[in-house]
């Protein structure tokens, strides 16, 4: 972490192509749009990928990634250099994703309550279906997106971003021990949900 | 090593890494425990399968950085002055980006204003008048964007506040809500009906004597003044 926030904030980003993310963010905070463009270029794909893996919906991921950068812009001035930019950014992305998932969960619960009465039990096919790899992949996907957001988050950050328990703890403002326990539970839950769903077919 | 510990170690070996001694102990356990060995295979399969799950490409039509920055920028405090200098072309491009992508920031000021101040207005208003207006009520659906609004968003929010504050003071503001900036959901019994985007970003319910007065109220709003659209519908009192 380097010091001198004030100084870097007044230097134009174009003069420093090697500017760190933190310096660029300080420039964004002082109204430099070019700095935001550079941060966007550097981080958009990763942000969008996390949003996709957390929600499983491409168009939602686009919206949430955009919303994340809107928040970067809005909160740039509040950035304190206690954390790395990537950590700070992830926490924004995380809030955006978790808020979305929470709202979706509430909405789905409401809709479920509304349809319970008129739900028709569909007859289950008796024939034995060979579960090829594609089908098992689809079931696993369903299992992954039926997990709570916290469980899915640990799996997503590890599997798709390659973070260690310690790094995930830093991103999620938690402890390594807590993340380790969460990972154990998340993986067990993924497996048990997979088996439930597979048996239900 | 018991089975619980073994499963924990399998997870650790996939997600974080294990020490050599732990790896050997795990292998030893797996050789003697068929159920844990099966679970280990299943977890490895799951882990590999997660990597094979596809990640669809972005649906955004034009994810170019300049367009994105232009689209995001109205939110930044006071950052519009540059755009004003760059002139009409930038504004047209920005508005086109909003319409094309339907991304977010439809009616940025409505977003800010409704999220923050409006509940207060309704609460502070004349409670009896607000909750049970005597006369006709109208639904104002906030549609579209405000392509002509190029001032800082704070100014726009102030204009909204003045407009809605006046309505509230007159006891005309019955309700208002901002909708989440997503594509929503479309449910239809007819397969011919298929849409993916709505341009409705919020609504107001106001009381007015007739359509003419409701239109006047809508027309006096910053949303309409800056190129946005209201759909006005009279609410059926069902009497």
């Amino acid at each position: 972490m380097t010091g001198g926030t004030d100084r870097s904030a007044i230097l134009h980003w174009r003069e420093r192509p090697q500017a760190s993310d933190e310096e660029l963010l300080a420039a964004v905070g002082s109204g430099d749009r070019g700095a935001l463009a550079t941060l966007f270029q550097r981080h958009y794909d990763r942000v969008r990928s996390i949003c996709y893996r957390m929600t499983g919906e491409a168009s939602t991921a686009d919206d949430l990634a955009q919303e994340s950068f809107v928040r970067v812009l809005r909160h740039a001035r509040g950035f304190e250099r206690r954390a790395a930019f990537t950590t700070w950014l992830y926490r924004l992305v995380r809030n955006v994703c978790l808020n979305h998932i929470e709202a979706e969960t509430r909405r789905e619960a409401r809709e479920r309550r509304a349809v319970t009465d008129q739900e028709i039990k569909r007859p289950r096919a008796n024939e034995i279906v060979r579960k090829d790899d594609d089908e098992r992949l689809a079931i696993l996907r369903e299992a992954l997106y039926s997990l709570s957001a916290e469980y899915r988050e640990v799996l997503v950050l590890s599997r798709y971003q390659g973070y260690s328990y310690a790094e995930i703890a830093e991103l999620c403002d938690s402890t390594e021990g807590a993340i380790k326990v969460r990972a154990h539970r998340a993986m067990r839950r993924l497996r048990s949900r997979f088996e439930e769903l597979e048996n239900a077919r | 090593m018991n089975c619980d510990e073994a499963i924990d170690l399998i997870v650790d070996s996939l997600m974080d890494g294990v020490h050599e001694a732990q790896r050997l102990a795990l292998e030893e356990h797996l050789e003697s425990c068929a159920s844990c060995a099966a679970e280990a295979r299943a977890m490895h399969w799951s882990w590999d399968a997660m990597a094979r799950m596809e990640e669809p490409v972005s649906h955004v039509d034009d994810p170019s950085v300049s367009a994105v920055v232009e689209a995001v920028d109205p939110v930044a405090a006071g950052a519009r002055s540059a755009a004003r200098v760059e002139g009409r072309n930038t504004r047209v491009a920005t508005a086109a980006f909003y319409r094309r992508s339907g991304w977010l920031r439809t009616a940025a000021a409505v977003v800010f204003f409704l999220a923050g101040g409006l509940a207060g207005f309704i609460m502070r208003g004349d409670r009896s008048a607000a909750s049970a207006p005597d006369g006709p009520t109208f639904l104002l659906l906030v549609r579209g964007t405000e392509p002509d609004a190029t001032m800082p968003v704070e100014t726009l929010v102030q204009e909204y506040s003045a407009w809605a504050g006046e309505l509230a003071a007159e006891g005309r503001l019955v309700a208002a809500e901002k909708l989440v900036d997503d594509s929503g959901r479309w449910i239809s019994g007819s397969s011919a009906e298929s849409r993916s985007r709505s341009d409705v970003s919020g609504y107001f319910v106001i009381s007015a004597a007739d359509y003419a007065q409701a239109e006047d109220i809508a027309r006096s709003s910053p949303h309409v003044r800056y190129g946005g659209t209201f759909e006005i519908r009279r609410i059926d009192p069902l009497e």
Side-chain angles (χ1 to χ4, degrees):
Chain A
M1 237 47 45
T2 55
T5 309
D6 294 342
R7 185 175 151 68
S8 66
I10 56 172
L11 287 175
H12 199 274
W13 71 280
R14 284 190 186 84
E15 296 162 12
R16 22 171 73 209
Q18 302 307 316
S20 70
D21 291 337
E22 291 77 11
E23 289 166 333
L24 289 170
L25 187 62
V28 171
S30 61
D32 185 337
R33 290 194 280 171
L36 182 70
T38 305
L39 285 176
F40 186 95
Q41 276 169 329
R42 287 185 190 173
H43 299 284
Y44 179 81
D45 287 348
R46 186 168 148 272
V47 167
R48 200 266 181 186
S49 176
I50 291 171
C51 292
Y52 174 73
R53 294 302 182 181
M54 285 301 287
T55 61
E57 293 164 12
S59 65
T60 302
D62 293 338
D63 287 346
L64 297 183
Q66 166 77 349
E67 172 64 23
S68 299
F69 278 93
V70 168
R71 291 197 187 188
V72 168
L73 195 46
R74 208 181 291 158
H75 299 299
R77 283 169 201 269
F79 175 68
E80 293 168 18
R81 292 194 175 200
R82 283 200 296 271
F85 170 77
T86 47
T87 305
W88 181 83
L89 175 64
Y90 180 72
R91 288 177 182 168
L92 289 187
V93 175
R94 177 175 204 252
N95 279 335
V96 169
C97 288
L98 293 184
N99 286 346
H100 172 82
I101 291 166
E102 195 189 327
E104 282 294 288
T105 308
R106 273 203 307 272
R107 188 184 60 78
E108 281 164 13
R110 255 198 321 275
E111 287 177 3
R112 255 201 311 281
R113 275 200 299 279
V115 300
T116 317
D117 295 339
Q118 51 200 355
E119 198 173 13
I120 303 157
K121 278 239 153 58
R122 264 174 298 181
R124 188 157 289 145
N126 268 340
E127 57 194 311
I128 295 163
V129 184
R130 201 184 119 256
K131 293 189 175 71
D132 60 16
D133 195 60
D134 278 354
E135 189 177 356
R136 296 185 75 212
L137 202 59
I139 296 171
L140 184 71
R141 191 189 148 82
E142 198 180 336
L144 180 63
Y145 289 100
S146 74
L147 296 184
S148 73
E150 283 75 16
Y151 283 173
R152 185 161 60 253
E153 178 180 42
V154 175
L155 298 177
V156 163
L157 290 178
S158 174
R159 173 76 278 197
Y160 300 111
Q161 301 295 322
Y163 286 121
S164 67
Y165 290 160
E167 288 166 330
I168 295 172
E170 164 75 12
L171 293 174
C172 299
D173 210 6
S174 182
T175 64
E176 189 176 346
I179 294 300
K180 185 171 181 162
V181 169
R182 200 183 297 173
H184 294 160
R185 290 178 181 161
M187 202 61 193
R188 280 184 166 84
R189 187 87 189 106
L190 180 69
R191 286 278 309 125
S192 63
R193 283 294 293 150
F194 177 84
E195 299 209 324
E196 282 167 32
L197 292 166
E198 193 176 39
N199 292 334
R201 294 215 172 181
Chain B
M1 180 180 302
N2 66 34
C3 292
D4 257 357
E5 290 165 350
I7 303 296
D8 285 350
L9 273 183
I10 296 166
V11 176
D12 291 343
S13 69
L14 292 170
M15 296 180 67
D16 196 55
V18 294
H19 297 303
E20 186 61 12
Q22 292 174 309
R23 193 181 62 80
L24 292 172
L26 176 60
E27 277 180 11
E28 194 179 321
H29 178 86
L30 294 183
E31 270 169 33
S32 63
C33 177
S35 71
C36 281
E39 186 59 25
R41 279 194 298 278
M43 280 191 171
H44 277 275
W45 178 85
S46 303
W47 197 244
D48 291 342
M50 275 179 75
R52 285 187 283 125
M53 286 183 196
E54 284 174 16
E55 186 175 326
V57 293
S58 176
H59 286 193
V60 178
D61 298 338
D62 178 10
S64 86
V65 170
S66 62
V68 165
V69 172
E70 285 295 327
V72 173
D73 225 33
V75 182
R80 292 306 291 181
S81 52
R84 227 172 290 134
V85 175
E86 285 163 26
R88 177 109 188 117
N89 285 344
T90 308
R91 289 203 296 277
V92 170
T94 307
F97 180 80
Y98 281 138
R99 283 194 298 271
R100 195 170 61 244
S101 69
W103 244 20
L104 272 185
R105 306 305 102 192
T106 52
V110 180
V111 171
F112 273 68
F113 175 59
L114 290 183
L118 194 56
F121 273 121
I122 294 174
M123 307 258 278
R124 279 200 302 276
D126 179 353
R127 190 169 276 271
S128 60
S131 56
D134 294 330
T137 48
F138 293 84
L139 173 68
L140 271 57
L141 282 171
V142 183
R143 284 189 177 278
T145 61
E146 296 151 340
D148 301 335
T150 56
M151 71 286 291
V153 72
E154 284 85 347
T155 311
L156 204 47
V157 171
Q158 278 168 14
E159 293 190 22
Y160 266 98
S161 301
W163 178 70
E166 207 171 301
L167 286 180
E170 291 168 3
R172 295 200 176 282
L173 192 57
V174 180
E177 219 111 36
K178 175 203 166 291
L179 306 178
V180 172
D181 300 304
D182 62 10
S183 50
R185 296 288 186 276
W186 299 83
I187 304 296
S188 171
S190 154
S191 56
E193 188 78 5
S194 160
R195 304 184 200 184
S196 60
R197 286 281 177 189
S198 167
D199 65 343
V200 178
S201 56
Y203 71 86
F204 294 85
V205 176
I206 61 167
S207 64
D210 48 27
Y211 263 115
Q213 193 183 14
E215 282 173 40
D216 287 343
I217 290 170
R219 220 171 267 125
S220 69
S221 74
H223 181 64
V224 169
R225 200 157 60 243
Y226 297 120
T229 303
F230 274 121
E231 178 180 343
I232 306 175
R233 303 292 300 272
R234 182 167 174 186
I235 294 171
D236 194 328
L238 294 176
E239 275 163 6

